[in-house]
Amino acid sequence: MQLVASYRIQFRNGMTFERAIEQLPYLQGLGISHIYASPIFTAAQGSTHGYDVTNANEIDPSLGARAGFDDFSRHLKAHGMGLILDIVPNHMAASLDNPWWHDVLANGESSRYASHFDIDWAEPLTLPHLELAFDDTAASGKFNLVRDRGQAFRLHFGDSLYPLSAESLDWLDAQLEEVGGESGKFVSQPEKLSALHRLQHWQLVAWTTASKHLSYRRFFEVTGLVGVRVEDPMVFDAMHALVLELVRSGQVDGLRIDHVDGLADPKGYLECLRRAVGSKVPIYVEKILARDEALASDWPVEGTTGYEFINAISDILTSKQGVAQLRQHYSILVPDLADPGAGLRQAKLQMVTVNFAGEVDRLVKLAAGLLPGIDLQSIAASIRELLVAFPVYRLYNTTQALTAAEDHVLDHAALVAREHVQDQTAVDAVVNVLRGQADPTRDPTEFRRRFQQVAGPVMAKAMEDTFLYRYNCLLAANEVGGDPIAEPMGIAGFHRHMQRRMREQPLGMSSTSTHDTKRGEDARARLYAISEGVDDWMTALPRWRLSNAALVSHPPTGMVPDLNLEWMLYQALLGIIPSRVDIDDLPVLRERFSAYALKAVREAKLHTDWSAPDQTYEKAVQHFAEGVLSPENLAFVNDFIAFSRPFVASGNVNSLVQTLVKLVAPGIPDFYQGAEGLDQSLVDPDNRRPWVGAAVNLQDTESLATTKLDLIRRGLWLRRQKPMLFERGEYIAVSVEGQMRDHVLAFARRHANDLVVAIAPLQVFGAVKQATMKVDASFWGDTTVRLSSVSSGVLRNVLDGTTHACEDLPVSELFKLPVVLLATTTA
């Protein structure tokens, strides 16, 4: 089945197979060839996302179970559509709902599933479920003994019933005889409960200790998700039995691999998966690439899920000069972040010393066994600094020699790490272990693997979930996989990136919004315009601060919000503010904005965080966020809407530009649910709100939404007509000349006799009209697109039907519509 475009559907939150079936006619008409489904396997009770799988070999009953899926599959085939399925090989829910995990708790290391999970059995399995230590909790009377259906006792705490080991049940029977069989008398004796607890294969501990010590590998900081050992062939088979059945039956046409960096051996896993599914099933990996990092060429995959594509578009929609000017202003007003590199280092240090302290301690112990002649503190300092200095998420060779690219990354990390330690020889020794060049009598494999499994989460949590909520200069740059410190590469850099993309992953996903992006694509498109309207922004900022001064709190620790947070909140608001706001619209907008503000300050981890929320601070933040959009503050709201108009106009053009590029550039266009219309969402859970489906998209009267939808339909029609052109066609940078050449993007795709050309305006803040999304012809002056350099025939504009000879054409004549999509007339 030809993969033309994918459409992400987030199942759960009311989206079932039955509801998804209702949307298929609309999606087929849009031109979508494949539904791209979030995980559909049975997950923890009440799961809103499905990544907390409890049974990898059962389709979740809440979605419609296997019968519902089979019906969904039949309807997909009837509409000529395929299915790409998101699977989760790295982790499962550490939940009593998970039968494998439950069996491990009951039987410990002797469980048939003990080797399925990444557990250190040097001690009982740690379960960080308590507020206090076990003995203190026992003394508070919060435990009970309850019989299950088989009449065996379970330890009851909160909503959980913990299985007791067979050995402890015999001991418990004897103890209960002493108190007349009354379990209530037994649990009233804390010392007895503690003795029972010591007889288990698990130990209940305070959740606050999880960052310092756990006996199992977790997913990032989520203690409720336990690492799975899919590197073991037996575990691989157990985790993929149903997935492979669905692929072989033809019900699943492609796979998306969640968090591939978490696996012990990503390449080995992908090779095993490729052998299992065959060569024709596309495989995509959730992999965040650093700015100059390439996807491993020896991975048998079609490409990534597309975060690097988002950031390539950022390079053409952000003004290099403007963002430099904005950074100057920001560094003066927020001096603590005048050196963003130092700010990122601080965020990474926090990860290795606090959030992932337990994982780092384990690395230190492993390294100490490999480097007996080196001081333990020096080893610890070296490992911490190497993790902080890593410029990419991780390396991949843990049993073999590093590649040249990996050697370069490690050399860079070592160079930086040496600057921050006293014992530089310790850094060199740890680096040698990471290269596999340690004492040949000691196997470095486990340390090498564990280091890489820690390096990825440290980078992800430090950058995505900490620094990107601290460094707020230009929020449009603060996207997953982005680098808000880097300079935009401009048009030339974008062309280089696309030519490289054509070589390395021509069938990779081209995404502009996902379930994990920091904001919706149309909100982000507006915010790029701040880099052009810096003067307007800096003029309005003090006016807004004065207008909202009464909403600012002044506790002894300093004003809330501070200037950095207030700056960020106004940018976030600019991304989502409607063109017109009625009083009736304010409650929903205010609720979304306040929830975002709370999440942002917790992620920033400066004054509050998820593990230790400062309620006083958070209430002050939410008081400000809610007050900004209150009916009593309409003077500010109206002023803000008036200010936003040129940014909205420019953002609308940016939205069409990124849509056009996604449709034509190398890669498979991927659309997030609802984003084919207007996607002005904020970070999750805002962007995971239940999708209402096709009706709203079709009835949306917003000019941007209808224009964008028409562009998508026509672009996908063209891709269906010329599949080889878009799969294999070379990428050609089309020359633009004249006084406004830096404001026009032009590129072509060519295969045999087929040609398609995309032409789009760039950075036209203040010149574009909001109603038409066009720029006056006089703006372009003598600017010309040299189509003669790519063809000598005639091209038809797919968007309006006009034809153009392949000659040097004035831009002013081309832009009758906001963007241009030309194709050979045989289409």
Side-chain angles (χ1 to χ4, degrees), residues 131-144:
E131 292 287 336
L132 303 172
F134 184 88
D135 290 348
D136 294 331
T137 306
S140 70
K142 293 184 178 180
F143 290 116
N144 288 300

Side-chain angles (χ1 to χ4, degrees), residues 759-776:
I759 307 171
L762 300 178
Q763 301 173 28
V764 289
F765 176 81
V768 63
K769 295 179 180 178
Q770 186 170 345
T772 63
M773 293 180 287
K774 293 191 296 183
V775 176
D776 283 341

Side-chain angles (χ1 to χ4, degrees), residues 722 725 734 747-749 753-759 785-788 790-798 800-807 809 814 820-827:
K722 300 174 178 290
L725 171 62
V734 177
F747 67 90
R749 303 289 305 282
N753 295 322
D754 277 333
L755 180 75
V756 62
V757 181
I759 307 171
V785 177
R786 297 195 61 193
L787 291 179
S788 58
V790 292
S791 178
S792 58
V794 175
L795 300 177
R796 181 175 61 87
N797 190 337
V798 175
D800 65 6
T802 59
T803 57
H804 300 272
C806 283
E807 56 190 29
L809 295 177
L814 284 169
V820 178
L821 177 57
L822 306 176
T824 45
T825 55
T826 55

Side-chain angles (χ1 to χ4, degrees), residues 57 232-242 244 272:
N57 293 307
D232 182 328
M234 178 187 70
V235 180
F236 179 96
D237 291 343
M239 283 289 290
H240 294 80
L242 180 54
L244 297 180
C272 187

Side-chain angles (χ1 to χ4, degrees), residues 207-214 218 221 223 354-359:
W207 65 266
T208 53
T209 65
S211 64
K212 296 180 181 178
H213 178 73
L214 277 182
R218 55 185 174 160
E221 297 178 88
T223 56
V354 179
N355 300 60
F356 294 99
E359 285 84 350

